[in-house]
């Protein structure tokens, strides 16, 4: 298997723009978020657990790839006021 998705922004965008692929992925992964403001939301802890990495690893990736993530719908929802 090649590493297209981790090396190509275009490949990741093509997948995210494929509604059928996203729907199939959602049906087949075992992760459940919380429905909030019209979308399912995941905590950093849930994402880290799914990928079997530390929370710190997720935080580093979010920092490094923030622009791409935001462009694709990433949002931070916080209860901090």
């Amino acid at each position: 298997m090649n590493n297209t998705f981790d090396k190509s922004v275009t490949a990741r965008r093509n997948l995210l723009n494929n509604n059928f692929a996203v729907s199939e992925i959602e049906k087949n992964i075992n992760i459940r978020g919380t429905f909030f403001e019209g979308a399912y939301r995941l905590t950093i802890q849930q994402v880290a657990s799914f990928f079997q990495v530390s929370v710190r690893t997720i935080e580093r990736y979010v920092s490094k790839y923030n622009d791409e993530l935001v462009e694709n719908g990433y949002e931070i929802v916080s209860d901090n006021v």
Side-chain angles (χ1 to χ4, degrees):
M1 181 172 128
N2 64 25
N3 293 324
T4 303
F5 292 109
D6 65 342
K7 302 220 183 327
S8 172
V9 172
T10 302
R12 290 189 296 274
R13 284 185 186 148
N14 287 340
L15 177 64
L16 290 171
N17 290 324
N18 181 330
N19 291 333
F20 176 76
V22 171
S23 175
E24 288 300 304
I25 291 168
E26 287 174 343
K27 285 193 294 189
N28 289 290
I29 61 174
N30 188 21
I31 187 170
R32 300 287 175 249
T34 300
F35 197 73
F36 177 73
E37 293 185 352
Y40 282 97
R41 312 295 176 153
L42 302 170
T43 66
I44 292 176
Q45 291 82 6
Q46 287 173 304
V47 174
S49 177
F50 177 79
F51 286 108
Q52 299 179 339
V53 297
S54 70
V55 168
R56 181 67 190 121
T57 297
I58 299 301
E59 290 170 339
R60 280 195 314 272
Y61 271 79
V62 167
S63 178
K64 183 174 182 180
Y65 299 105
N66 187 63
D67 292 342
E68 181 183 349
L69 292 167
V70 168
E71 184 177 308
N72 288 298
Y74 175 78
E75 298 178 284
I76 295 176
V77 178
S78 174
D79 63 355
N80 296 335
V81 180

